[in-house]
Structures are given as structure tokens and as C-alpha cells.
Amino acid sequence: MLKKLMMLAIGAIMVVGIMTGCGSKKSDEDLQKDIINSAIDKADQVPATGDTDESYEKGDFKYNSAGEIIGLTDEGNEKETITIPKGKNVISTLLTRKSKAKELNFEGSVDPDYDMSYMSDPHSNLEKVVYPEGIETVSREFAYCSKLKEVVLPGSVKEVEGCAFSNAESLEKINLEDTQIEIMRNGTFLDCEKMTEIHLPDTVKKVLEYAIPRNVVDIYIADNTEGGWFSDDMIHDNEGTKIRIHMKQGSVSDQYYAKTLSESTKYEVVYD
């Protein structure tokens, strides 16, 4: 329930902002906090879906009568690494303030539309998440997770939604280069101020406005990246810092992008 309320909250925030579609202005920070805290408070009052007298515990997890995961056991809350069993759905917030888990993994592959909405609330201790193989779309399930430092994506990912990791303020590392994404969307890493470099996959065709966080100073373009469009404002509020665009001289990427990017006063092409 928390994550659904969080989705509604972030949707409301998107109406507030006009630059990135996710409430990017610092002047709206208090409003953002009010919306998020309201969602959390409401979720704390709602029992887990499917949590009936027929629920049971097994190992690290609590299950409802249908075998769906509805939470962690006391033992599970003490673990620093949580692995979701193969074929199991999570239908109620898993990692909460009580959980000591710093890493979240998955056993086996999942369906492309596997629901990740209930994996963590924003105030958990989660530092690393390894998405399961098979998933194709990354939504906003870890937006506002303030302690999240690293995200590992599988090669099956084809889309990362706008604002997907917005306000994950500790995020430093994500392996976009291993995915199949074609569009870097607005505000994907809004306020992820610890990110200083980003590696793009060779499938990328568009990098939209404010898709890259403001403290990034190095962008790496894969050798075989063919023609597309990179916004001149793809860096969010970088306050005049010149960004280094890395590529291999003579590569396909060099042929398509070097001239255009080198003509901009915001970017410097670097051959590695």
C-alpha cells in the first residue's frame, strides 16, 4: 500500500514542477516532503493486502494464504541481504524502517511486467538493489530511497521512466550501459547529486532535458551508438560546468555525435 500511495504522491509532485515533470524546484521541497510523509503515514495505518488469519511465516518472509510475500519475519528484519525467492510476488511493503537489509536480490528471472512497487519504503536502510533478469521497465519504486547507493540493472531493461530515481540522494552508481534503453527521460536522476559520471548504452537514441544529474562531469557514449538526439540541456542545472563527453575516436559514435557536441559550449569531446 505504501508504494501505491508513494506513486500517487510522486504523481502529484509531477504536477508541481514544470522543468522536469517531477517537482524539481528546491522551492517546492517542503511540499514534496509533505506529500511523501502523508503517503507514509497513511500506509502505516493500512493492513497488508492478503494478511489474514491464514498467513504464515517461513524463513525470512511472511506469506498470505495465496503464497504471496506480505512482509519480513523478525529473523528477516535482522538480515543485511534479502533475496526474493523465485516465482514469488511481493504485495505489501517489504523493507521498512525496522529492516536492517542493505542489499536486495532476486532468485531467478521474472516476467517483463513483474511488480516491484512494494520492495522498499523511502526510509529503509537499502543501499544496493539488483533488479531481476527479465524485467523490462524500471519505474519509480526506489525514488526517494535516501540511502540507496547502487543499482544493478539486467540486460532485459528497455525503459527507465522519468523520475525513476529522483531524490535517491545517495545514489552513485548505475549500469545503464548494460541495458537496452533508447530514451533517457526527464528527471530520471533528479537530485542524485552524488553521481559524477554516467555510461550510456549503444541503444540510446534520445537524451531529453534534465535527464542527467547536475554533478555529472563525465558522460561515456558506447562505441556503436548510432544517430539520435542529445538535448543541449540534458544536464540538470549544472551551473556552467563543462561536461566531458567520452567516446572512441573513429567509432560509430564519433561519426554521429562528435561534431555536434563539440560545437556546444557546454560539452568537451574526449577521445579515450
Side-chain angles (χ1 to χ4, degrees):
M1 178 62 70
L2 171 58
K3 297 305 292 189
K4 285 192 173 179
L5 287 166
M6 287 292 297
M7 293 299 188
L8 292 174
I10 293 173
I13 294 171
M14 290 173 68
V15 177
V16 176
I18 61 174
M19 290 184 68
T20 65
C22 25
S24 65
K25 288 293 187 181
K26 288 294 185 181
S27 59
D28 296 323
E29 186 174 19
D30 291 338
L31 176 58
Q32 293 180 16
K33 289 180 179 178
D34 289 344
I35 294 172
I36 297 302
N37 290 333
S38 175
I40 293 169
D41 291 341
K42 290 178 181 177
D44 287 341
Q45 302 171 17
V46 180
T49 304
D51 193 1
T52 68
D53 292 339
E54 298 180 14
S55 62
Y56 63 95
E57 297 184 0
K58 182 179 179 181
D60 294 337
F61 302 98
K62 295 178 181 178
Y63 296 87
N64 64 12
S65 58
E68 298 165 313
I69 296 173
I70 57 175
L72 292 177
T73 60
D74 290 342
E75 179 182 354
N77 275 319
E78 293 298 313
K79 298 286 184 67
E80 290 199 356
T81 299
I82 293 294
T83 300
I84 306 299
K86 185 175 182 179
K88 293 299 182 181
N89 294 318
V90 178
I91 65 165
S92 185
T93 304
L94 186 66
L95 304 183
T96 66
R97 298 173 177 87
K98 296 190 301 182
S99 171
K100 294 182 180 179
K102 295 182 179 181
E103 182 171 338
L104 178 66
N105 297 300
F106 294 80
E107 184 179 79
S109 59
V110 299
D111 291 335
D113 59 351
Y114 182 78
D115 188 0
M116 296 276 290
S117 301
Y118 300 98
M119 296 302 163
S120 179
D121 80 27
H123 302 300
S124 74
N125 293 299
L126 184 65
E127 294 182 1
K128 178 179 179 180
V129 57
V130 181
Y131 274 75
E133 183 64 46
I135 201 163
E136 293 187 354
T137 301
V138 174
S139 299
R140 303 181 183 98
E141 46 266 353
F142 297 105
Y144 287 86
C145 286
S146 60
K147 296 183 180 179
L148 183 65
K149 295 180 179 179
E150 181 178 0
V151 174
V152 180
L153 302 176
S156 55
V157 170
K158 296 180 179 179
E159 180 181 7
V160 177
E161 293 185 355
C163 306
F165 297 102
S166 61
N167 293 88
E169 57 191 31
S170 298
L171 185 63
E172 298 175 353
K173 185 177 181 181
I174 184 169
N175 62 325
L176 292 174
E177 66 271 22
D178 296 327
T179 70
Q180 304 177 55
I181 64 170
E182 295 188 355
I183 302 176
M184 284 284 293
R185 300 190 180 278
N186 306 72
T188 301
F189 300 104
L190 179 67
D191 289 333
C192 296
E193 298 187 0
K194 291 194 175 180
M195 292 183 69
T196 59
E197 66 177 46
I198 199 161
H199 296 250
L200 301 178
D202 57 15
T203 52
V204 72
K205 301 297 183 185
K206 292 183 180 180
V207 180
L208 302 183
E209 291 87 350
Y210 314 122
I212 309 295
R214 65 171 138 246
N215 289 339
V216 164
V217 293
D218 291 285
I219 299 175
Y220 294 81
I221 300 179
D223 294 347
N224 296 316
T225 305
E226 296 187 358
W229 178 78
F230 285 18
S231 169
D232 200 41
D233 293 316
M234 60 182 170
I235 304 290
H236 179 249
D237 292 343
N238 67 326
E239 299 179 354
T241 302
K242 200 159 190 176
I243 310 304
R244 295 184 291 268
I245 308 293
H246 297 258
M247 63 183 72
K248 183 178 180 180
Q249 190 167 21
S251 65
V252 173
S253 305
D254 185 17
Q255 296 174 36
Y256 277 102
Y257 293 109
K259 185 176 186 297
T260 301
L261 292 172
S262 61
E263 289 175 350
S264 171
T265 58
K266 296 183 178 182
Y267 307 115
E268 174 188 359
V269 174
V270 176
Y271 292 116
D272 295 325

